[in-house]
Every structure is written in C-alpha cells, then in structure tokens.
Amino acid sequence: MCGIVGYVGKRDATPLLLDGLKRLEYRGYDSGGIAVHTPDGIQIRKCMGRLTELEKDLTANALIGRPGIGHTRWATHGEPSQRNSHPHQAGAGEVIVVHNGIIENYQELKEQLRSAGHEFLSDTDTEVIPHLIQQELADGAASPDAAIRQALKKARGAYALGILFKDDPDKVYAARLGSPLIVGLGEDETFIASDVPAIVNQIQNVIYLNDGEIAILSPEGVAIQNLAGESIEPEIKPVDIAPEAAEMAGFETFMMKEIHEQPRVLRSLLEKHVDREDTVIVPEIGFSTDYFQQLRRIMIVSCGTAYHAAMYGKFLLEHLTGLAVETDLGSEFRYRSPRIESDTLFVAVSQSGETADTLASLRLAREKDCKVLSICNVPGSSLVRESDSVLFTEAGPEIGVASTKAYTAQLMAFGLLAIHIGRARGEISEETEQQLMKALRAVPNAIHYMLERADDIQAIADKHHDGPSALYLGRRFNYPTALEGALKNKEISYQHAEGYAAGEMKHGPIALINEYLPVICICTQTEDEVYEKMISNMKEVEARHGRIIAVATDGDKVVADFAEDIIYVPPIHEEFSPIVNVVALQLLAYYAAQARGTDIDKPRNLAKSVTVE
Ligand code: F6R
C-alpha cells in the first residue's frame, strides 16, 4: 500500500530514490513521483503508471540534486492519476510530502483548511498533511519539526511520511504512526524507506521507527523525537538481509524465484527448530509447559493467504493438541464480539506484519488479556513489536505480490507449533513426535521433486488456462490448499477460481460443472480416510463431464481412470501434504498467468502489504 523512500547525503538523490522505489514497487504501482532539492529549488516529477514511465521522464530530463523523497502509489483516495500522485505540496512548494497510510479525518481537516484559504489540487487524503504543516508554520511554529508535531496531533489515521521543506534544504523529515517506516544508516548518508529491502544495498544499520516518532535526517546524522518534542535514543540494529535476497537472481520473476526458494527456506526453518533427538525447539515462543497445559483455546486471525495458513493451523492444532481452535479473518474478527479471555492464546499470522485488520484484531485480543503469539516474516514489523512472542518464518524478503514461500513457511511453522504444544500438553508421545518430525523433514525434498516436474505442470496449465473459471476441491488438511490454489490462480492469472471443501460441492457449486470447467481435485493421501470421499467427489464431477485435473500421489492407479490430467506429487505424510501440494498449485497458477500474459509480480489492483482496512 504505497512505498516511500528518502535520501540525505552527498550523492545525487534521483538514482537512489528511483532504485529504492523500484524495490518498493510491489507495494503499489499505479503512479510514482519524486521531489528533490535542486540548485533551482525543489522540483517535483510524477508519472502515471509504472515506475518505468517516471524513469523515462527522468532520463529525458534529468533532475539533479539532494536531498529528496519518492513515492510509489496504490490508490485509496482518488483514482490513479497525475493529479493524485505523490508528492503533494502546499503553497508554492513550501512543504512537500509523500505518504503511506490513510488520514481518516481528512474531509473535516480539508474544510477547516479551506476556510483558512488553502486550495487543494487533488482528491487525496494526503494533501491535507502539507497544508496542515504549512498552516502551523504560518501560525508561528518555531521550527519545521514543531510544525510537523502540531499538524500530526490534528490528523487521525495511519501514516508513514517523508517531508521536505523549501526553506530547510539540507534535511528530510519523517514520521510514523501505524504504517511501516525505517531509517537506514549508510556511510555518511541516511535514508528512509517503507522496508529494509528497498535500501538494503545502501545501508549497514537500521532504526525501526516506532509509532508516534519523528525522524530528522540531516548531513550530521539522524535525530529522533516523539510527538511531544522529546528526543529519543534510537535502537540501532545491523541489517541482517543479504543484498542479493532482494534481487531476482536470474529468474524471470520474483514469484518464480520465491517458488524455487521454498526447499531452502523450509530446510533452514527446520534446522533452526529441531534438535538432534528430533525434538521441536522453539525457545522464542517463551510460554511454559504449564501455560500450555492450562490453555483452553487458541484463536488464529489473519487475512488472505495467511488466513489459509491459519485454517491449516487450526486443523493441525486440533489434531495434535486437543485444544479448541478457532480461526477468523482479521476484517471480521475485529467487528465481532469475540468470546476470548486470558485462557485463550491469540495467534496472528502475517507475512508483512503490517496488515491493518490483523493488527487491529491483535489489539482487540490484547484488550481481552490474551497472550499474543505471531507467526511473521518481517523483523521489526508492527505485529512483531506488539506481540508477546514471535515465531519467525524466516523466508527472507517476499517481493512477488502473490505469496508463495511465506505461505509454506507459515504452514511449516504451524507444524512445529502444533507438535510443540501437543507434546507440552501430553497429547502426543515422544515417539509420535519423532515420527512427525521425520515426516516434516521429508517436505523440502518433496518440494524439490515437485519443482523438477514444473514442465508437466506447465503443459497442463497451457491446456486449461483459457476458460472463464476453475473450481478447486480439497478436504480436511487440503481444504485450505484448495482455497489457496484458487486464490493464487485468480490473483495472478485473472481467471475466476473458487476453492471449495469437496464435500460441499453438491450443496451448490455442482451446478457449475459442465464439459468446459476445469476442476482441480487434491487427492494425494491414499492412506487418508478422506481419500475415498475425494474419489467419490471426483466421480460426481466426472458424471457431469467436468474436466478433472487431479493432484495425486506418485503411483496412484485410481485417479487415472477418470482424471483428464494428473499432477503427481511425491508421497508425503497426510498432515504435511498441504506444504507440498500447494507448490503444484502455485506453479499451475503461475503458468496459467504466463499463458494469459499478465504481469505476474505485480497483478492489477493488488498491493503486497495491505496497511489500510
Ligand atoms: C495473496 C497474498 C495476500 C496476503 C494478505 C495478508 O497471495 O499475499 O492475500 O496474504 O494480504 O498479508 P500478510 O500476510 O502480510 O498479513
């Protein structure tokens, strides 16, 4: 949801801002813009569309100077247009702002400012910010930071801001409340950015700004203060992401790179959390055996793909811990009157750690005195900071907008968590733990084999990609896999797709089945009690001439009788089969998208990090 970047140092700002924005483009890509202090004063350039448009403009007509700020937009208030693109300014460029977030009371503020003579040029909520600051300066604020503080006290909502002042040409100001923002420290230069990967190739250390903090970047360094103007000693942390982690590494897209990273990511997650005796070790969770024994309930909340991981987590936790486990979508949970108390463990799942609805739900759980455990991929994110403990998925930066490696890492994290809690509660024996761990250890190699079968999956995608719709069916642990497969498909190929619990098919969706509809059926567990049920569901599809694409286990002799195409996966323990099966569906969606010619890393209308409700 919009990316921002800023630079203070001796180098030319424009190429650094553009480079940072390109790395942030996954956060929004309907327009981009930069503002730079030049010898002729501050200049702004904005372009509709992808950053390549801005780049072309800047190549044709260079903008040389420093410091500067930049923005890549995902429209919330006001259509994508030149007029609504950031940076926004007040007066004759006295205050210039880039913003990520939403100013909820912008209408009210706009009216007040209009009656004080301010004119607005855009439909955005953002534009009130430079005007508010300008008004504070006009009313006698002692300094730019004093004006920012006064202005921000009037704004309600969420913001990460980068700010330039015409009359303070050496500095970039920044502020954060509810939207991510970091300060990056290089050699004699400083940056702001929405995330670390945006500037990872330029910096050695990072300051994760807290809500309500303002940063002042100057040639002398960085000063941090709170909204009361008190100075704050920042915690400086070394950057622990390798610069290559944010590069495409020879793959055609970030999504393909991230799909291929899955065996490595999962292997290292296991290495970190399993000891030589095949016992799960998760010291970072920090809750005692006693706590887990007293626990009565787990509530898991998340959005999108992470919600599918939560559904899988529910099935697995119920299966291995004997606890009552419930899941909900962040956007629903926060408006319910959930019956959760201090005997409930609240689990938030999020790749970014910045999803607004997940965060709001976490805060609600806190009010109810629940302990909060997050399964998260981004250190320093809001979710991480507001949780009692965190199980990091450690998948590295995920840049493709459609989540892949973060999802399988979330599933693996649930595997570890369920085994750990199951043991702590005495629901599973040491022997069962070892069997489960053996099965979990087989997952990375099984995914590796899946990736080697990518050509077969591509051939199937090429055959079926052009229909208007597709149905995905699964049961039990693989019901969430069906939902996730359908989500991947619609997200990147724009083919309408529905995921369904296979047993529900005859309660409605069966009406859709005809000789044109591809029905992707996940039926990998020949030993599993739901396998036969799945076969019956597939027969029902066959009887109505649906085109069955089966995801089946190597050596399965049954499905070949009625499936038009089969994606074979290596045999894997039923509990952990979703971690492997979903990779087949990621590839199926990927190749369908490729055949349909979409922009796979940046699908239309989407943004990676949904920091607004
Ligand atoms: C889909 C996808 C989204 C996210 C959702 C939650 O591929 O990536 O559905 O899963 O927006 O995001 P996080 O996990 O960052 O909370």
Side-chain angles (χ1 to χ4, degrees):
M1 301 266 122
C2 304
I4 70 175
V5 66
Y7 172 73
V8 175
K10 296 197 181 83
R11 291 190 278 168
D12 211 11
T14 301
L16 293 166
L17 296 175
L18 258 182
D19 185 56
L21 290 179
K22 280 188 202 158
R23 292 161 185 267
L24 285 172
E25 206 178 8
Y26 72 89
R27 297 179 68 88
Y29 30 87
D30 57 47
S31 54
I34 64 172
V36 172
H37 275 283
T38 74
D40 305 323
I42 299 187
Q43 290 201 30
I44 299 180
R45 289 289 169 70
K46 315 181 192 192
C47 274
M48 264 286 286
R50 299 285 160 92
L51 285 171
T52 43
E53 300 305 313
L54 181 65
E55 192 171 19
K56 273 189 227 152
D57 182 80
L58 289 162
T59 310
N61 197 354
L63 198 57
I64 296 170
R66 56 181 183 266
I69 52 177
H71 188 267
T72 178
R73 181 169 187 247
W74 186 88
T76 56
H77 294 60
E79 58 172 7
S81 66
Q82 185 84 7
R83 203 161 64 83
N84 289 330
S85 317
H86 300 214
H88 290 285
Q89 58 177 310
E94 283 163 68
V95 187
I96 296 181
V97 166
V98 289
H99 169 221
N100 170 31
I102 287 186
I103 305 303
E104 286 164 4
N105 58 340
Y106 80 102
Q107 292 284 23
E108 182 189 321
L109 292 170
K110 223 171 183 177
E111 285 318 309
Q112 288 165 11
L113 287 158
R114 267 201 186 112
S115 28
H118 291 257
E119 267 181 52
F120 290 90
L121 306 174
S122 78
D123 307 319
T124 65
D125 53 330
T126 301
E127 204 184 353
V128 297
I129 297 288
H131 285 271
L132 274 177
I133 297 172
Q134 188 199 24
Q135 186 61 48
E136 293 299 333
L137 285 172
D139 291 346
S143 60
D145 49 298
I148 294 172
R149 289 195 306 271
Q150 295 309 326
L152 293 184
K153 281 179 193 157
K154 295 178 177 158
R156 208 173 56 236
Y159 51 76
L161 298 166
I163 309 165
L164 294 181
F165 289 87
K166 184 173 158 195
D167 296 332
D168 197 2
D170 292 335
K171 299 193 186 87
V172 167
Y173 292 78
R176 173 199 154 123
L177 186 80
S179 296
L181 191 62
I182 57 132
V183 176
L185 308 174
E187 274 170 31
D188 296 328
E189 53 189 8
T190 45
F191 295 78
I192 53 165
S194 298
D195 67 21
V196 178
I199 48 174
V200 67
N201 52 340
Q202 310 291 346
I203 60 169
Q204 292 80 46
N205 292 299
V206 60
I207 299 168
Y208 294 96
L209 286 182
N210 291 308
D211 279 346
E213 286 181 353
I214 294 171
I216 304 166
L217 281 61
S218 69
E220 288 74 48
V222 182
I224 312 280
Q225 54 177 242
N226 60 20
L227 284 180
E230 294 155 348
S231 91
I232 287 177
E233 195 55 47
E235 197 183 335
I236 299 176
K237 296 191 170 169
V239 171
D240 55 4
I241 303 174
E244 321 73 82
E247 308 286 348
M248 221 124 67
F251 285 91
E252 60 206 8
T253 58
F254 277 109
M255 184 173 173
M256 193 46 113
K257 177 193 172 212
E258 288 155 10
I259 288 175
H260 277 81
E261 281 178 319
Q262 293 177 107
R264 180 186 55 72
V265 164
L266 299 180
R267 220 169 267 131
S268 65
L269 200 58
L270 277 172
E271 267 163 29
K272 182 159 178 204
H273 292 294
V274 184
D275 69 11
R276 281 164 191 270
E277 278 75 49
D278 264 349
T279 305
V280 176
I281 39 167
V282 277
E284 63 273 50
I285 289 183
F287 303 134
S288 65
T289 302
D290 220 34
Y291 171 78
F292 285 125
Q293 282 169 357
Q294 307 292 323
L295 195 64
R296 296 185 60 104
R297 203 155 158 253
I298 297 182
M299 179 80 223
I300 317 173
V301 174
S302 45
C303 302
T305 284
Y307 178 65
H308 300 151
M311 287 177 72
Y312 169 75
K314 168 189 159 73
F315 294 152
L316 201 64
L317 282 158
E318 281 174 348
H319 182 56
L320 298 179
T321 70
L323 283 162
V325 187
E326 213 190 313
T327 50
D328 206 349
L329 296 161
S331 52
E332 289 297 318
F333 180 82
R334 61 186 295 190
Y335 294 110
R336 277 169 55 194
S337 312
R339 290 199 48 218
I340 50 172
E341 290 162 18
S342 56
D343 60 1
T344 305
L345 172 64
F346 183 90
V347 180
V349 191
S350 173
Q351 188 284 128
S352 63
E354 300 294 348
T355 301
D357 286 321
T358 308
L359 271 169
S361 303
L362 176 155
R363 290 172 189 145
L364 182 60
R366 280 215 161 289
E367 281 169 23
K368 308 253 178 189
D369 278 342
C370 298
K371 287 258 185 258
V372 173
L373 165 67
S374 285
I375 296 180
C376 189
N377 199 38
V378 179
S381 60
S382 304
L383 201 72
V384 165
R385 285 190 270 179
E386 295 186 33
S387 299
D388 294 302
S389 66
V390 184
L391 185 50
F392 281 107
T393 39
E394 304 196 27
E398 191 179 64
I399 293 167
V401 164
S403 187
T404 52
K405 63 176 179 172
Y407 179 68
T408 45
Q410 286 161 356
L411 301 189
M412 178 72 84
F414 271 118
L416 296 166
L417 187 67
I419 296 170
H420 178 70
I421 301 179
R423 279 289 283 145
R425 290 175 57 82
E427 290 283 330
I428 54 173
S429 65
E430 193 179 339
E431 196 191 341
T432 307
E433 176 175 26
Q434 284 168 355
Q435 282 164 1
L436 289 167
M437 284 318 306
K438 193 164 164 243
L440 208 46
R441 276 190 199 286
V443 165
N445 279 350
I447 295 179
H448 188 78
Y449 292 133
M450 281 310 309
L451 296 175
E452 287 185 345
R453 295 169 188 184
D455 288 350
D456 301 342
I457 299 176
Q458 180 164 21
I460 296 172
D462 283 348
K463 191 169 150 195
H464 294 278
H465 73 265
D466 54 358
S469 189
L471 183 62
Y472 287 68
L473 301 177
R475 276 178 174 261
R476 203 182 184 203
F477 295 114
N478 278 301
Y479 165 34
T481 315
L483 299 184
E484 176 60 10
L487 179 63
K488 285 292 89 96
N489 191 16
K490 60 189 143 197
E491 245 182 324
I492 59 169
S493 84
Y494 313 153
Q495 181 185 47
H496 170 256
E498 292 248 0
Y500 248 87
E504 272 290 294
M505 184 181 61
K506 53 175 93 57
H507 299 286
I510 200 161
L512 296 171
I513 296 174
N514 60 18
E515 65 272 37
Y516 306 111
L517 185 77
V519 185
I520 296 89
C521 300
I522 307 155
C523 58
T524 41
Q525 272 55 62
T526 42
E527 302 297 312
D528 181 349
E529 57 188 317
V530 298
Y531 177 76
E532 284 177 6
K533 312 276 174 212
M534 203 56 222
I535 297 291
S536 307
N537 295 136
M538 288 161 78
K539 292 256 182 213
E540 289 157 6
V541 176
E542 185 200 20
R544 285 150 188 91
H545 309 293
R547 303 181 66 182
I548 297 175
I549 302 168
V551 180
T553 308
D554 279 341
D556 184 313
K557 299 275 185 288
V558 182
V559 294
D561 284 346
F562 43 85
E564 179 176 332
D565 290 294
I566 304 177
I567 301 173
Y568 284 108
V569 299
I572 200 92
H573 208 278
E574 58 164 306
E575 279 87 340
F576 306 125
S577 63
I579 317 180
V580 181
N581 293 345
V582 77
V583 178
L585 303 186
Q586 292 167 352
L587 288 168
L588 194 65
Y590 187 94
Y591 290 122
Q594 203 173 52
R596 290 165 75 102
T598 63
D599 186 342
I600 293 178
D601 275 343
K602 300 184 196 93
R604 69 180 174 213
N605 303 338
L606 288 174
K608 181 120 190 110
S609 177
V610 185
T611 52
V612 295
E613 248 193 81

